[in-house]
Amino acid sequence: MRGIFPANSREANKKTETQDSPSVFLAENQYYAIASEHQTVERFKVILRSGKVHSIPYALLPIGTLDGDSLYIKAYELLIKISGRNLDPIEEHFSKRSLLWVKASPSGKDDGISTTFVREILATGKAIPESENP
């Protein structure tokens, strides 16, 4: 598993089936995960602070735009805005179709521990249930 993790998120020599799965959240300040070098990724997930998960297929040919502290992902009738700090690695892996998931910080407060920080994720558009649209 590759991704941005703080140095103390887990010991490199400890391996179990669940720890090796990139879909398992290993630390509170782990904000995204990427696929291994030869793994094919068909969908990526966006995990909102509320815990709601949106799964987006790369087959929709989503467009990503990094603008300062925000990454915009547009696909079909969906717009996702990811706000935070140093989102370049997320955009890079999204562009390479190796991003597995990205999640918002539970608190929304940057403690400065992680290289990349995701403050907030907003998902809007006709593809999202009306109750979620701001």
Side-chain angles (χ1 to χ4, degrees):
M1 174 170 50
R2 298 172 20 209
I4 300 297
F5 307 97
N8 61 357
S9 67
R10 75 171 192 176
E11 294 177 30
N13 295 336
K14 287 186 178 179
K15 291 189 175 186
T16 67
E17 187 174 315
T18 56
Q19 285 180 319
D20 287 341
S21 172
S23 62
V24 175
F25 310 125
L26 297 175
E28 183 176 302
N29 47 3
Q30 177 183 345
Y31 299 107
Y32 70 96
I34 58 174
S36 61
E37 191 174 335
H38 300 291
Q39 184 179 0
T40 301
V41 181
E42 295 182 18
R43 307 176 79 84
F44 66 96
K45 293 183 180 185
V46 177
I47 301 115
L48 307 182
R49 183 173 297 131
S50 67
K52 186 160 286 212
V53 177
H54 296 289
S55 180
I56 297 99
Y58 279 111
L60 288 179
L61 302 174
I63 298 168
T65 303
L66 184 60
D67 184 14
D69 290 339
S70 295
L71 172 61
Y72 299 90
I73 298 173
K74 185 174 183 178
Y76 190 51
E77 295 185 10
L78 170 68
L79 176 63
I80 298 166
K81 179 183 178 188
I82 302 170
S83 302
R85 175 180 46 77
N86 188 29
L87 300 176
D88 298 62
I90 294 174
E91 187 279 330
E92 179 182 338
H93 293 293
F94 167 77
S95 294
K96 291 179 181 178
R97 293 184 174 205
S98 61
L99 181 67
L100 293 172
W101 56 262
V102 61
K103 76 169 186 165
S105 164
S107 69
K109 296 181 182 177
D110 188 357
D111 58 13
I113 292 175
S114 297
T115 306
T116 295
F117 172 72
V118 177
R119 177 177 44 262
E120 182 176 42
I121 300 174
L122 297 173
T124 58
K126 290 183 181 178
I128 301 295
E130 234 178 87
S131 62
E132 290 182 46
N133 285 314

